[in-house]
Amino acid sequence: MPAPTSRPTRRAIRRRRAEGELPSRLRLPHLRHPAQVVVAAFAVAVSVGTLLLWLPVASEPEGSPTLLQALFTATSAVCVTGLAVVDTPTYWTGFGEAVILGLIQVGGFGIMTLASVLGLVLARRLGLRARLNAAAETKSIDVGDIRRVVVGVATISLRFEAAVALVLTLRFALGYDQDLPEALWNGVFHAVSAFNNAGFALYTDSLIPFATDPWICLPINAAVIAGGLGFPVLMQLRRDLRVPRKWVMNTRLVLLGTGVLLVVGTVFLTAAEWSNPATLGPLSVAGKLLAGFTTAVMTRTAGFNVVDVGAMEPASWLATDVLMFIGGGPAGTAGGIKVTTFFVLVFIVLTEIRGEGAVNVLGKRLPRSVQRQAITVVLLSVMAVGLPVLALLATTPFTLDRVLFEVVSAFATVGLSTGITADLPTFGQLLLVALMFIGRLGPITLASALALRQRTQAYELPKERPVIG
């Protein structure tokens, strides 16, 4: 006779449900997909940030800021964009700046990633639901390895920010005669803003006063590039830096694409602005090269500027639009359609031109599902940019080049502006708020949804092809 099995106690059932081993009794259908949980978490963060910035203590002028000003700034900070409708250093108090800094850190680090880290610290474990949510945000394929991923993200972020903050603090204190508390605050704020590709600065004219100072520009550039590579790349470089043969396709593609775009962007923008008296013209040759390189780096969704963007040549605006739209690496603090998406399309086009059957990327064959995802992301992104451009052209007096620049900057979460953000009507600013939110979370949600919605069909329809071109 088999031994009777003991029934689990209610406490054991509750514990297993909390850890994700058993399904919760109460289900919320609209938050069932992990990507939807990520969107909801970011929306809550924006709401909390808006309420904090709406407090009278957050702003310098008498009375509290308008709800639109608080909402725009909170969204820009959480979505690590950097666009602003008020002057950050003069409008916000120390409390307001601290709130902005906290929102930048939370938004760049990732809401669900931060929640996972806190769960590990407090409970030393992660339930299945928490692992799925964090995986959706960090683009992790192996859900079982998400603990190592979130710890790695936390470690990399804090180390980069601390190193850059130390260099900037010393430079502000020794080179600009700032007292230690002021230098430390400036160093920490700009380091966090740079690594998270946010672009918020504590100077009215951003980094223009430091355009020729390599001790300010180069550490910030390094933080921007590192954050823009994406956490998967940074984690593999930390582990296999001296063994390139172990690098996966994502790492190789991001490093190759980042290098190519930085070189092309630096050469083009420096040449286009070389003689412009309102930008690079008055600088020395070394200053022009440093400022040109920094400008190219910031188009990767960072948002700092070392020249007057509103005075740049139209050709520079268009080139910046393209660079902003491409953005940085996936699963990092950068925005845009991502370097990997752009270069996958490049390889698809090259394959079609050569008449080859399979798309090969860096010695590996690319799955057809990835090709479809890349094309879908690009087309939806073009639509997300095109429709707001038409809407703003119809409702504002600004020209196409300025409107396109502003819309791409918002969607790609860059933060560069030709100077029309604060002059947009309420409808236009709300449109940019929506674009920043979509730009920060749209690619995450779309990629996760596409990856999890694949299904096997039991049949195939007959083939027929239309005329293309």
Side-chain angles (χ1 to χ4, degrees), residues 119-205:
L120 288 174
V121 172
L122 299 177
R124 297 185 181 274
R125 62 172 180 258
L126 281 179
L128 177 59
R129 183 60 60 87
R131 293 200 299 269
L132 289 173
N133 294 336
E137 188 173 64
T138 59
K139 287 184 170 56
S140 299
I141 298 176
D142 185 2
V143 178
D145 201 29
I146 194 62
R147 179 189 180 104
R148 182 184 62 83
V149 172
V150 296
V151 171
V153 169
T155 303
I156 290 172
S157 298
L158 296 178
R159 284 181 177 177
F160 264 102
E161 291 169 357
V164 175
L166 176 61
V167 176
L168 293 180
T169 299
L170 292 176
R171 183 57 178 169
F172 284 131
L174 301 178
Y176 296 92
D177 296 326
Q178 296 181 6
D179 54 39
L180 186 57
E182 181 184 7
L184 180 61
W185 175 241
N186 284 330
V188 170
F189 189 98
H190 290 94
V192 173
S193 183
F195 181 77
N196 290 286
N197 280 226
F200 278 93
L202 295 182
Y203 297 91
T204 300
D205 44 4

Side-chain angles (χ1 to χ4, degrees), residues 132-380:
L132 289 173
N133 294 336
E137 188 173 64
T138 59
K139 287 184 170 56
S140 299
I141 298 176
D142 185 2
V143 178
D145 201 29
I146 194 62
R147 179 189 180 104
R148 182 184 62 83
V149 172
V150 296
V151 171
V153 169
T155 303
I156 290 172
S157 298
L158 296 178
R159 284 181 177 177
F160 264 102
E161 291 169 357
V164 175
L166 176 61
V167 176
L168 293 180
T169 299
L170 292 176
R171 183 57 178 169
F172 284 131
L174 301 178
Y176 296 92
D177 296 326
Q178 296 181 6
D179 54 39
L180 186 57
E182 181 184 7
L184 180 61
W185 175 241
N186 284 330
V188 170
F189 189 98
H190 290 94
V192 173
S193 183
F195 181 77
N196 290 286
N197 280 226
F200 278 93
L202 295 182
Y203 297 91
T204 300
D205 44 4
S206 192
L207 299 183
I208 292 179
F210 315 106
T212 58
D213 188 344
W215 290 100
I216 297 294
C217 290
L218 292 182
I220 289 180
N221 287 341
V224 168
I225 294 172
L229 290 177
F231 292 114
V233 174
L234 293 176
M235 292 176 67
Q236 177 155 56
L237 291 179
R238 184 181 65 172
R239 186 177 62 251
D240 302 320
L241 179 61
R242 298 182 180 180
V243 193
R245 68 177 183 276
K246 291 185 177 180
W247 295 354
V248 297
M249 180 190 292
N250 181 75
T251 299
R252 295 172 184 269
L253 207 54
V254 169
L255 292 178
L256 173 64
T258 299
V260 170
L261 292 176
L262 283 177
V263 171
V264 172
T266 300
V267 172
F268 183 88
L269 292 175
T270 303
E273 299 296 323
W274 189 269
S275 301
N276 187 342
T279 56
L280 299 183
L283 304 180
S284 63
V285 173
K288 290 178 180 179
L289 295 176
L290 177 61
F293 173 67
T294 303
T295 302
V297 170
M298 298 310 160
T299 62
R300 311 306 311 291
T301 81
F304 295 107
N305 60 286
V306 292
V307 297
D308 183 3
V309 176
M312 293 172 67
E313 302 290 346
S316 299
W317 282 348
L318 183 57
T320 303
D321 290 339
V322 174
L323 293 171
M324 291 191 299
F325 187 75
I326 296 173
T333 59
I337 64 171
K338 303 299 186 289
V339 172
T340 47
T341 304
F342 174 75
F343 277 93
V344 162
L345 288 184
V346 171
F347 281 103
I348 292 175
V349 172
L350 292 176
T351 300
E352 192 64 27
I353 292 175
R354 294 169 180 167
E356 299 173 350
V359 179
N360 299 316
V361 178
L362 304 178
K364 298 291 181 65
R365 183 168 58 86
L366 199 67
R368 293 187 182 275
S369 60
V370 175
Q371 301 174 40
R372 295 195 301 268
Q373 290 173 20
I375 294 172
T376 303
V377 167
V378 170
L379 291 179
L380 289 179

